[in-house]
Amino acid sequence: MKSTKGGLLILYALLIIIPVLSIFFTTFKTPAEMYKNVLGIPENISPENYTSLVANESMGTYFTNSVTVTICSVILTLFLSSLIAFSITRLGKTIGNGFFILFLLGMMVPAQVNMIPLYQLMVELGLTNSLAGLIIVNTAVTMPVGVFILTGFMKSLPSSLFEASSIDGASNWKMYTKIAIPLSLPSLAATAIFLFVMHWNDLLYPLLLITDDQYKTLPLALLDFQGEYMTNYPMLFTGVILASAPMVIAYLFLQRYFIAGMTAGSVKG
């Protein structure tokens, strides 16, 4: 039984590692060499694709836009989601569960269904071709996910803590800032990583709302390497590797918080 599980895990790992290695090796090839030897190791390893991409001033602008949109969206989503999650746990079962279900319904609606009315709304508000518009949309779209994760954790917090602080005269805001948030840090860290990946990789909303080059994000900018008749795959894959690097680095540094946050609240003491 153990050998079967081990074999399946090895097979699963190979299914992930082989395509990643293939993409990585392609970044050191020219388009001609790639079409000649798609899956093979490059004959001459040259960082030319990386140096030319890093030297491109526009890529610096796209990277800055992605960082700005992602960080602002994550912070705003975490703040609002934690406030809502705390409120849901304090409103009582009937009213709290009612609001919780509303946010669950928001997770069930496909993003593509809202594209036309969302675009019309952003045009009327004058928020197309702006980073502020992207931040607002990202926050609104991912807030149900944040509420779902954080509510599940905050419900596991001992109610006696809030009752005792309420008797001592603490306001709801003080209970939120002094009790709920400090105890929810592992769950907030896990949610932050999850939201970071969603916002950083988002292509739909930049594609919908951004047409001006100065406001493009990295995922949208990578489409420039894809032509109507020919695609520069080595340069495209180089952009994908560079765009993925911040996520990998963030996960390596925060993985213990991610694991702790995902398991926190699963077992009540």
Side-chain angles (χ1 to χ4, degrees):
M1 189 66 178
K2 290 183 178 179
S3 60
T4 303
K5 289 182 178 180
L8 291 175
L9 288 174
I10 293 173
L11 178 61
Y12 178 70
L14 290 175
L15 289 175
I16 295 176
I17 292 173
I18 291 176
V20 172
L21 287 177
S22 177
I23 291 173
F24 179 71
F25 288 143
T26 302
T27 63
F28 296 101
K29 300 177 183 178
T30 63
E33 186 180 356
M34 188 212 70
Y35 286 112
K36 181 181 177 181
N37 186 14
V38 177
L39 298 178
I41 298 175
E43 298 176 0
N44 299 312
I45 297 180
S46 172
E48 183 180 350
N49 290 329
Y50 288 95
T51 55
S52 61
L53 200 62
V54 172
N56 190 333
E57 294 181 1
S58 297
M59 294 304 295
T61 301
Y62 305 147
F63 181 82
T64 303
N65 291 341
S66 286
V67 169
T68 302
V69 170
T70 301
I71 291 179
C72 292
S73 299
V74 169
I75 292 174
L76 193 56
T77 305
L78 279 180
F79 174 66
L80 295 176
S81 298
S82 60
L83 271 178
I84 295 169
F86 175 73
S87 301
I88 288 174
T89 59
R90 297 292 298 163
L91 285 174
K93 288 187 177 181
T94 304
I95 300 176
N97 288 338
F99 280 106
F100 185 65
I101 290 173
L102 286 177
F103 282 96
L104 287 182
L105 292 175
M107 295 176 60
M108 298 176 187
V109 179
Q112 291 78 6
V113 174
N114 299 322
M115 287 175 61
I116 295 177
L118 178 61
Y119 178 76
Q120 291 177 336
L121 175 62
M122 299 305 286
V123 169
E124 291 177 3
L125 294 175
L127 291 174
T128 56
N129 278 321
S130 71
L131 298 184
L134 272 181
I135 293 170
I136 292 172
V137 170
N138 284 343
T139 301
V141 170
T142 57
M143 198 184 301
V145 178
V147 171
F148 175 75
I149 298 174
L150 294 175
T151 300
F153 177 80
M154 288 191 180
K155 281 185 176 179
S156 68
L157 297 178
S159 58
S160 57
L161 291 175
F162 300 104
E163 292 172 359
S165 59
S166 179
I167 293 173
D168 291 337
S171 63
N172 284 325
W173 176 253
K174 197 166 187 178
M175 285 188 280
Y176 166 76
T177 56
K178 300 297 183 180
I179 299 177
I181 292 300
L183 293 177
S184 302
L185 286 179
S187 184
L188 286 170
T191 308
I193 297 174
F194 189 71
L195 293 173
F196 181 88
V197 173
M198 292 179 66
H199 293 314
W200 185 265
N201 289 330
D202 181 45
L203 174 63
L204 175 62
Y205 296 111
L207 189 62
L208 180 66
L209 301 174
I210 303 297
T211 56
D212 195 328
D213 285 345
Q214 65 175 323
Y215 298 115
K216 284 184 176 180
T217 57
L218 272 178
L220 183 58
L222 292 179
L223 293 180
D224 293 339
F225 298 113
Q226 184 174 351
E228 184 177 357
Y229 301 105
M230 185 175 180
T231 299
N232 189 345
Y233 286 108
M235 191 64 74
L236 176 62
F237 290 162
T238 303
V240 170
I241 293 293
L242 291 177
S244 303
M247 291 186 296
V248 175
I249 294 172
Y251 182 77
L252 288 176
F253 281 100
L254 299 174
Q255 60 178 323
R256 66 188 185 95
Y257 297 106
F258 180 78
I259 296 172
M262 296 304 293
T263 57
S266 59
V267 180
K268 293 185 178 180

